[in-house]
Amino acid sequence: LLKRLGNPEKSLRCIHVAGSNGKGSICASLQNILSFASYKTGLFISPHLERVNERFTIDGKEIEDEVLLAYTKRIHDEIRFMDNKPNDFDLLTALAFLYFKEENVDFLILEVGLGGRLDSTNVIHDKLVAVIAHIGLEHTALLGNSLEKIAKEKAGIIVNDRPVVVLRQEKAVLEIIQNIAKEKDAKLILTDSRYLHSSPFYLENGYQYFSYRDRKDYALSLLGDFQLDNAMVICDTIDCLKSQGFKIPEEAVKMGLYTVEWKGRFEVLKKNPLIILDGAHNPQAVTALVRSIEMLFPEYKKRVFFSVMADKNYMEMLRILKNNSLSFTFFQVDDERGLNANILKSQWQKEYEGEIFIPENTESGLSWNLEKLKNGESKTLLLCLGSLYQVSGIRNYFKEVFS
């Protein structure tokens, strides 16, 4: 398909980002920083939360409907002649390459769809740097049932003689990545938490402050201690680009981290009552989320609003959430892949003695929780999580309620 389109991927300078958790936040932050540094910066992400247009942005601006339609038509015209039909993600990736090439972007930040080694995005030729964020057990049916196997897939984005920035993590994961980097003669840049320091967080302020290596007291708009891990990756990636001769002023780094927005990732929808929305959908992400809540809001109890896909390790996720939870609200967000709320309730009530509520729909479930929060429960927050598919509905509901 790319050959039929004139191989647009060969004309792009890319920053390629893989990982189980955190890659989206890293991508959005890098785009924001490079845009502030006056580079025209494309970003291709997946999945989208509300509109497919979100997958294709330049300097934070989504592709317009009519432009998206025009590119879709061009690609459709080509696949008619192909015996081997590409899958949906292949088509979206090809569209991204064509769009960003014709828009003549200075950089394309490319988020891996699934895994890395065999991902559609990995056909890219010119990688300025590969980036590997946190790795956890996910998509085990496709990627393998151990961290080592998954790490091998993620490390498949490393290319010969090009640097790779890696979040320092479990020893077994790092050894795999180090070996592949050595084989490919790729310079390995590891984050180092010994140089990371964070300041106390205050809700009224709304920002986390951190220092890392030579950067002192930078403000981070994305909350959660896992975002401090991501900040190390972002800073080391920027330094890697600077070492390649790209001019990126420190003011751009500061402003990029200070102003970046990333929907549905530890997003504080309301401060009073306190409502947090997060797309965490595996045990690693839920662990990081709970740790962040305990760090940022240590005195708060929580009510949990939860939906999940049937193929996820949902019981483990619920056990991580159990401590300090006054109630769980379960609903099925996706008719095909979503787990039935009554099945979830029957399993969870064997381990949890608190209140479990099954609403008729998203709105009534959120309304029920809101009433509980408003009725004099001080120091209680509402945590909505479990699936990226629910983010759009929840954001829209609270936008209307609090408008």
Side-chain angles (χ1 to χ4, degrees), residues 115-159:
R117 182 175 65 94
L118 298 175
D119 191 69
S120 311
T121 59
N122 206 28
V123 300
I124 204 72
H125 285 245
D126 191 3
K127 288 185 198 181
L128 297 170
V129 56
V131 180
I132 301 176
H134 181 265
I135 291 174
L137 283 172
E138 55 153 6
H139 303 294
T140 48
L142 291 169
L143 301 180
N145 56 5
S146 70
L147 277 179
E148 290 82 352
K149 284 178 181 169
I150 291 172
K152 200 170 180 182
E153 292 302 317
K154 308 279 184 198
I157 70 165
I158 299 171
V159 290

Side-chain angles (χ1 to χ4, degrees), residues 239-399:
D239 289 342
C240 179
L241 292 171
K242 286 170 88 166
S243 73
Q244 294 181 44
F246 295 103
K247 301 275 185 286
I248 306 167
E250 268 318 290
E251 199 52 37
V253 182
K254 268 187 182 168
M255 286 303 293
L257 293 169
Y258 179 67
T259 62
V260 67
E261 294 178 357
W262 193 230
K263 291 186 288 193
R265 276 65 165 201
F266 209 96
E267 186 177 5
V268 177
L269 295 178
K270 188 84 174 145
K271 290 181 182 176
N272 188 18
L274 182 54
I275 301 167
I276 296 169
L277 173 60
D278 196 282
H281 53 276
N282 58 42
Q284 295 82 14
V286 176
T287 300
L289 174 60
V290 168
R291 207 171 59 217
S292 294
I293 286 172
E294 288 170 353
M295 181 181 88
L296 300 177
F297 310 111
E299 296 164 22
Y300 278 74
K301 287 188 163 53
K302 61 186 179 293
R303 292 188 177 275
V304 177
F305 189 82
F306 187 80
S307 72
V308 70
M309 297 297 130
D311 61 350
K312 299 295 178 186
N313 189 351
Y314 52 85
M315 290 303 286
E316 186 60 29
M317 291 158 70
L318 291 174
R319 289 180 192 117
I320 296 162
L321 290 162
K322 185 177 178 181
N323 186 40
N324 261 347
S325 290
L326 298 174
S327 67
F328 282 82
T329 301
F330 296 143
F331 77 109
Q332 186 172 341
V333 71
D334 181 275
D335 288 344
E336 287 179 23
R337 289 182 54 216
L339 182 68
N340 180 288
N342 288 305
I343 292 173
L344 197 50
K345 180 181 178 178
S346 69
Q347 292 185 28
W348 186 228
Q349 62 192 9
K350 292 172 190 167
E351 298 187 31
Y352 177 73
E353 291 173 1
E355 192 168 13
I356 300 175
F357 178 57
I358 308 280
E360 284 179 22
N361 51 38
T362 305
E363 292 76 17
S364 61
L366 293 170
S367 166
W368 182 86
N369 278 280
L370 206 49
E371 282 306 308
K372 293 281 187 186
L373 257 61
K374 284 178 176 174
N375 286 342
E377 286 182 355
S378 62
K379 300 291 183 189
T380 302
L381 61 84
L382 174 59
L383 175 61
C384 306
L385 80 156
S387 171
L388 284 169
Y389 291 92
Q390 70 175 359
V391 166
S392 171
I394 292 171
R395 290 183 95 249
N396 291 337
Y397 173 81
F398 284 121
K399 216 179 281 177

Side-chain angles (χ1 to χ4, degrees), residues 24-293:
S25 305
I26 290 167
C27 287
S29 300
L30 287 171
Q31 182 188 46
N32 211 31
I33 290 166
L34 293 171
S35 297
F36 271 114
S38 301
Y39 290 104
K40 187 176 185 180
T41 309
L43 171 60
F44 176 57
I45 61 157
S46 63
H48 60 274
L49 298 182
E50 293 169 317
R51 297 167 6 115
V52 72
N53 309 53
E54 296 165 27
R55 293 175 183 247
F56 317 91
T57 58
I58 295 175
D59 298 333
K61 188 173 182 290
E62 291 175 10
I63 190 171
E64 291 176 357
D65 288 348
E66 57 273 24
V67 178
L68 181 57
L69 278 170
Y71 277 99
T72 305
K73 187 176 183 307
R74 282 171 64 183
I75 286 171
H76 185 261
D77 288 347
E78 294 299 338
I79 59 174
R80 283 185 309 168
F81 303 107
M82 296 173 63
D83 295 330
N84 248 341
K85 302 294 184 203
N87 66 32
D88 288 351
F89 188 69
D90 292 337
L91 299 175
L92 290 163
T93 306
L95 194 154
F97 290 148
L98 193 58
Y99 171 60
F100 291 121
K101 185 240 176 183
E102 293 186 353
E103 283 291 329
N104 206 18
V105 297
D106 297 312
F107 294 103
L108 170 56
I109 298 162
L110 201 52
E111 181 186 3
V112 166
L114 178 72
R117 182 175 65 94
L118 298 175
D119 191 69
S120 311
T121 59
N122 206 28
V123 300
I124 204 72
H125 285 245
D126 191 3
K127 288 185 198 181
L128 297 170
V129 56
V131 180
I132 301 176
H134 181 265
I135 291 174
L137 283 172
E138 55 153 6
H139 303 294
T140 48
L142 291 169
L143 301 180
N145 56 5
S146 70
L147 277 179
E148 290 82 352
K149 284 178 181 169
I150 291 172
K152 200 170 180 182
E153 292 302 317
K154 308 279 184 198
I157 70 165
I158 299 171
V159 290
N160 291 327
D161 299 319
R162 288 297 171 94
V164 55
V165 174
V166 180
L167 176 68
R168 194 184 290 269
Q169 46 202 298
E170 288 193 32
K171 191 166 177 275
V173 166
L174 275 186
E175 280 176 2
I176 301 280
I177 296 170
Q178 284 167 326
N179 290 340
I180 291 172
K182 199 174 176 184
E183 277 169 31
K184 298 193 174 178
D185 212 16
K187 183 186 177 187
L188 181 68
I189 300 157
L190 281 176
T191 62
D192 194 335
S193 56
R194 291 175 302 175
Y195 301 112
L196 176 73
H197 305 283
S198 61
S199 306
F201 170 78
Y202 301 102
L203 185 59
E204 304 71 42
N205 179 341
Y207 293 90
Q208 291 190 118
Y209 286 83
F210 75 98
S211 301
Y212 180 59
R213 301 196 196 272
D214 297 330
R215 295 182 170 93
K216 306 296 178 199
D217 294 321
Y218 280 34
L220 196 56
S221 66
L222 302 179
L223 302 181
D225 68 342
F226 52 94
Q227 293 296 358
L228 297 170
D229 285 345
N230 294 340
M232 291 192 290
V233 175
I234 294 158
C235 289
D236 285 347
T237 303
I238 291 297
D239 289 342
C240 179
L241 292 171
K242 286 170 88 166
S243 73
Q244 294 181 44
F246 295 103
K247 301 275 185 286
I248 306 167
E250 268 318 290
E251 199 52 37
V253 182
K254 268 187 182 168
M255 286 303 293
L257 293 169
Y258 179 67
T259 62
V260 67
E261 294 178 357
W262 193 230
K263 291 186 288 193
R265 276 65 165 201
F266 209 96
E267 186 177 5
V268 177
L269 295 178
K270 188 84 174 145
K271 290 181 182 176
N272 188 18
L274 182 54
I275 301 167
I276 296 169
L277 173 60
D278 196 282
H281 53 276
N282 58 42
Q284 295 82 14
V286 176
T287 300
L289 174 60
V290 168
R291 207 171 59 217
S292 294
I293 286 172

